[in-house]
Each structure stands twice: as structure tokens, then as C-alpha cells.
């Protein structure tokens, strides 16, 4: 009686295959983390664009309805998550409501900086965490936005300055 020789993989072959799969998995995980971060940056910038557009429209309507311009060179910051009213220095008398100009699903905090004439805003930022006026004092660059995702308060900006 003849014995059939069993065919299969050796232990070395199995270890090599597992090592290759492990290396490929590590490369893929690193790539996916980068894609997730970039998609969050794009989402935050998109939300900042929605706030910027809402603010521009609200200021135009305020200017046409009252003949008064928004306060020039002023930082406005929303004080509640999903809050559509932004206040200048916490002043309830100096506020801008963007409720009518944005999507009902708009959520998060935003802030913006008005232009020297008070006829619009220079840029707006958005975050899923509270924004303070010191975050709005300088216009953010692409590097600033991406770096903010490594801090405790990630934010997006619109329009965004290109890196110099």
C-alpha cells in the first residue's frame, strides 16, 4: 500500500504570507487616517462656507433694511451649538442672526470678522466646539486649518488663504 504525500503550506510560507498581509494592512491604515483627516477638514471648511454665505446675506439685508452697516472690523462669535446668532464681544445689542440664510441642519459654532466698511465679512470660521474671539483675529491659512485638527478645537475657514 502506497502512502499519499499530503500537500500543504509549510510554516515558513504561512508566516511570510501573514507578514505581507500585516505590512499591507499597516500601509492601508495610515492612508485611511490621512483620508479621514482630509475629509473632516473639507467638511469643516464647507460648514465655514455656509456660515460665510449666511453672514454675507444677513449683513446685506440688515444694511438694506436699516441703512445701518454692521460694525466695521468687528469679531462676531456664536455662543451656542447650532446657535444662529453671533454677538460682537458678547453685546446683545450688536448681533447678526443667520437663521434665515442657512440650512436647518446647520450645527456647530461659528465666528466671522467684518470688513472695514461693515458691509460684509472678510472670512468666517466654523467648529464643532466653542469658538472664542481670539480664534477669529487672524485669517487662517491652509496650514493653520490642518494644524487645528491636531489641537483640542479643530476648525474650518472660508475663504481660506493659500499658504505663502
Amino acid at each position: 500500500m502506497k502512502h499519499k504525500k499530503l500537500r500543504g503550506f509549510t510554516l515558513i510560507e504561512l508566516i511570510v504570507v501573514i507578514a505581507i498581509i500585516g505590512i499591507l494592512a499597516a500601509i492601508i491604515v495610515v492612508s485611511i487616517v490621512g483620508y479621514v483627516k482630509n475629509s473632516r477638514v473639507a467638511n469643516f471648511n464647507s460648514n465655514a462656507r455656509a456660515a460665510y454665505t449666511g453672514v454675507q446675506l444677513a449683513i446685506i439685508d440688515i444694511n438694506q433694511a436699516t441703512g445701518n452697516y454692521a460694525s466695521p472690523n468687528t469679531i462676531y462669535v456664536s455662543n451656542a451649538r447650532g446657535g444662529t446668532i453671533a454677538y460682537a464681544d458678547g453685546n446683545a445689542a450688536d448681533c447678526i442672526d443667520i437663521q434665515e440664510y442657512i440650512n436647518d441642519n446647520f450645527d456647530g459654532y461659528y465666528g466671522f470678522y467684518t470688513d472695514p466698511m461693515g458691509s460684509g465679512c472678510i472670512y468666517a470660521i466654523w467648529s464643532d466646539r466653542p469658538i472664542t474671539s481670539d480664534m477669529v483675529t487672524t485669517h487662517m491659512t491652509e496650514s493653520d486649518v490642518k494644524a487645528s485638527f491636531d489641537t483640542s478645537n479643530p476648525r474650518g475657514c472660508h475663504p481660506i488663504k493659500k499658504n505663502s
Side-chain angles (χ1 to χ4, degrees), residues 92-110:
D94 191 0
C95 62
I96 294 178
D97 185 355
I98 65 170
Q99 176 72 46
E100 299 174 25
Y101 309 100
I102 57 171
N103 186 325
D104 290 339
N105 297 328
F106 185 81
D107 191 23
Y109 299 88
Y110 72 98

Side-chain angles (χ1 to χ4, degrees), residues 3 14 17 31 42 52 79 83 93 107 113 137 149 159 161:
H3 291 293
L14 290 173
V17 169
S31 297
Y52 176 83
N79 64 351
D107 191 23
Y113 191 74
T137 56
F149 277 80
K161 275 197 225 174

Side-chain angles (χ1 to χ4, degrees), residues 34-83:
Y35 290 131
V36 168
K37 180 179 178 181
N38 288 340
S39 70
R40 287 194 70 212
V41 168
N43 183 38
F44 277 43
N45 286 339
S46 175
N47 290 339
R49 182 179 349 169
Y52 176 83
T53 303
V55 167
Q56 292 288 50
L57 294 171
I59 290 174
I60 289 169
D61 280 355
I62 289 168
N63 294 347
Q64 288 178 347
T66 65
N68 298 330
Y69 288 97
S71 298
N73 294 326
T74 303
I75 297 167
Y76 288 81
V77 178
S78 65
N79 64 351
R81 183 170 182 88

